[in-house]
Amino acid sequence: MTRPEWLPEWAENPWKQNPWFESVAVAQRRAQKRLPEPVYAALVAGSERGQTVSDNQRAFMELGVLPHVAGHHAERSMSRTVLGQEVSLPVLISPTGVQAVHPDGEVAVARAANARGTLMGLSNFASKSVEEVVEACPRTLFQMYWTGDRDVMVQRMERAHRAGAIGLIATLDWSFSMGRDWGSPEIPEKVDLKTMVRMAPKVATKPRWLYQFGRTGQLPDLTAPNLAPPGGEAPTFFGAYYEWMTTPPPSWEDVAWMRSTWAELSGTPFVLKGVGRVDDAKRAVDAGVDAISVSNHGGNNLDGTPAAIRLLYPISTAVGGQVEVLMDGGVRRGSDVVKALALGAKAVLIGRAYLWGLAANGQAGVENVLDILHGGIDSALLGLGVSSIDELEPGLLLIPEGFHRS
């Protein structure tokens, strides 16, 4: 008996888990079930007590909406031009380092972004090279921390430009926190035989994760190929981390230099990520940036920083007419995206959400997450009685007194 076309392949075996998931929360549970404990802990950890991590999501719950009962639009649009690029939905891939939750890592994420018509952000701490990722998704933004001297940074910008990056993201919303109330996850310097033996008790309980890597004949890669000097070897993640820790922090003059250097080299957009104050947003405009991302590094910067969505409206009101304003932090649902757009974001970036999808089901899992957000945005637009994300504004939300922070 052949399987009917309408019956999914997984349904032939009731003991085989359906690879599709219906929410980001389910993707997170799948990721936790599949990944070794230290790997999963690295995805969810925030700095110190985790106050900011929690507030990033709690703040979205405080915002209400007032749907209409009739007069809805049969067709709704969520396409938009962001950083000069037409995207099919206002959700971009935020750059995150070393995506060793899946053998294909950043390449799988890039393919998913390309398939769903959005932009890929690639960290210079990534486990895959900028050349591989741009090939998988030609609309890739390259992200850099302020690490190394200016000559080194220019070399890295030149490489990203040669590879075809369509923009540069400078991430400055990151500080080093020694104290995590739940303990820092154990991340080895490199994965070799000695490391495998030492971590075997934790990894052996996750055979499916091991099998994924075994099929490829490769071990999880914890190096940073995009930080390799010309003709040299890629540093380990901790080698890259040491370079960041020993580089003097940037000034606003350094930000302006970085922006002008990229402009002369590429002429494509420059994004400053990590803005959380109105005065900093205005300084960013003065430095010549094309866009800013309101962000607290997903709760991995200074703990106690308010949720990014609380900071968004004051910042977008102050500078939204001069630069594009993006936001990242705590987005898990399409309704979260709609709330951020109503408060002035041109688009949002997601991080943990797609990493859970990647861990749960590779490229298809990332596409699944983007589809969930797409469907949630469409549902919210329908209920609110608007035909396009361009019609979203604060009056569509129930905003409690004192919600905004500035």
Side-chain angles (χ1 to χ4, degrees), residues 377-392:
I377 296 169
D378 185 65
S379 179
L381 295 180
L382 173 64
L384 290 171
V386 297
S387 62
S388 168
I389 58 175
D390 295 331
E391 298 172 38
L392 295 172

Side-chain angles (χ1 to χ4, degrees), residues 363-406:
Q363 176 185 339
V366 180
E367 293 176 4
N368 195 157
V369 166
L370 291 171
D371 289 344
I372 288 167
L373 296 176
H374 187 283
I377 296 169
D378 185 65
S379 179
L381 295 180
L382 173 64
L384 290 171
V386 297
S387 62
S388 168
I389 58 175
D390 295 331
E391 298 172 38
L392 295 172
E393 48 88 21
L396 295 169
L397 306 182
L398 287 170
I399 306 172
E401 184 177 354
F403 176 83
H404 302 302
R405 305 285 191 272
S406 63

Side-chain angles (χ1 to χ4, degrees), residues 92-292:
L92 318 181
I93 298 296
S94 185
T96 63
V98 189
Q99 296 174 14
V101 299
H102 189 277
D104 294 335
E106 294 85 357
V107 172
V109 177
R111 289 172 179 155
N114 193 52
R116 292 300 182 265
T118 190
L119 310 184
M120 170 72 183
L122 177 70
S123 171
N124 65 350
F125 278 19
S127 61
K128 303 294 183 183
S129 71
V130 63
E131 291 82 8
E132 292 176 277
V133 172
V134 170
E135 182 179 359
C137 180
R139 299 195 299 171
T140 292
L141 300 153
F142 187 68
Q143 176 266 348
M144 290 178 57
Y145 293 102
W146 184 262
T147 63
D149 60 31
R150 286 191 174 189
D151 289 341
V152 168
M153 284 185 255
V154 170
Q155 174 262 313
R156 291 168 181 165
M157 288 187 215
E158 289 173 343
R159 178 179 174 183
H161 173 59
R162 287 195 304 270
I166 63 163
L168 187 74
I169 301 173
T171 297
L172 304 184
D173 60 331
W174 192 28
S175 60
F176 185 69
S177 173
M178 291 292 293
R180 299 178 187 271
D181 286 7
W182 45 81
S184 293
E186 182 182 4
I187 303 174
E189 176 77 10
K190 60 180 178 179
V191 180
D192 53 17
L193 182 59
K194 182 179 179 181
T195 302
M196 291 172 64
V197 171
R198 179 169 56 83
M199 301 191 73
K202 293 181 179 179
V203 176
T205 59
K206 305 295 181 180
R208 287 195 296 173
W209 187 75
L210 277 175
Y211 177 67
Q212 276 187 323
F213 283 93
R215 289 177 60 188
T216 66
Q218 61 179 326
L219 296 172
D221 189 357
L222 300 182
T223 61
N226 296 304
L227 298 182
E233 293 186 359
T236 64
F237 176 82
F238 284 100
Y241 203 71
Y242 177 78
E243 181 186 75
W244 170 76
M245 290 178 63
T246 55
T247 301
S251 65
W252 280 108
E253 289 72 23
D254 291 325
V255 174
W257 169 83
M258 198 176 192
R259 197 280 314 169
S260 63
T261 302
W262 179 253
E264 292 174 8
L265 183 67
S266 171
T268 57
F270 179 93
V271 183
L272 180 62
K273 183 174 179 291
V275 177
R277 298 169 55 114
V278 170
D279 54 354
D280 278 357
K282 293 178 178 179
R283 293 291 296 272
V285 172
D286 293 340
V289 307
D290 300 293
I292 59 173

